[in-house]
Amino acid sequence: MALAKGLGVSLLWVVAGEGPMQSSREKTAMKPAQSTEAQSRQMDPQRLSAAIEVLESTLKLAGADPSIARNSDLLADYYELLGHTDPVQRARIAAVLNQRVMERVRSSEKVA
């Protein structure tokens, strides 16, 4: 729910990949003359798709549950990572994300 709200997209679209990307409520909330901040917060569907692909691939390689619903926090972080243009900053964020994925794998192994 937090991911859908933060990205301004439909919860059904985030969870199931079905229906319109933006709910009618989000569409009507968007005004034609948006501020620069609002425009920068708009979700990029191609970047989100790439973030989903990277997250699922990383989790599968690590032997973890690739469910987006269970890993929405990581998805939001991968989405942010793909938005950075500075390669040094991207590398630092990627290293932190890799560590978090491994921690998630280890914690799920302890539960199982």
Side-chain angles (χ1 to χ4, degrees), residues 6-29:
L7 295 173
V9 297
S10 161
L11 179 61
L12 178 63
W13 187 82
V14 171
V15 174
E18 298 175 357
M21 187 169 63
Q22 288 185 323
S23 70
S24 57
R25 188 175 68 182
E26 279 95 13
K27 285 180 184 175
T28 56

Side-chain angles (χ1 to χ4, degrees), residues 13-93:
W13 187 82
V14 171
V15 174
E18 298 175 357
M21 187 169 63
Q22 288 185 323
S23 70
S24 57
R25 188 175 68 182
E26 279 95 13
K27 285 180 184 175
T28 56
M30 302 282 233
K31 305 268 191 246
Q34 293 176 327
S35 68
T36 309
E37 180 184 333
Q39 289 175 354
S40 69
R41 288 183 32 184
Q42 285 184 349
M43 199 268 314
D44 177 353
Q46 290 178 327
R47 192 166 106 197
L48 180 59
S49 178
I52 290 170
E53 227 176 286
V54 171
L55 174 60
E56 287 178 335
S57 165
T58 302
L59 291 170
K60 285 178 186 177
L61 285 171
D65 177 9
S67 166
I68 298 301
R70 290 191 176 140
N71 297 290
S72 61
D73 60 324
L74 293 174
L75 176 58
D77 290 340
Y78 275 106
Y79 180 84
E80 180 185 340
L81 168 70
L82 294 175
H84 287 284
T85 56
D86 178 14
V88 174
Q89 190 173 10
R90 284 177 76 161
R92 288 180 181 146
I93 295 170

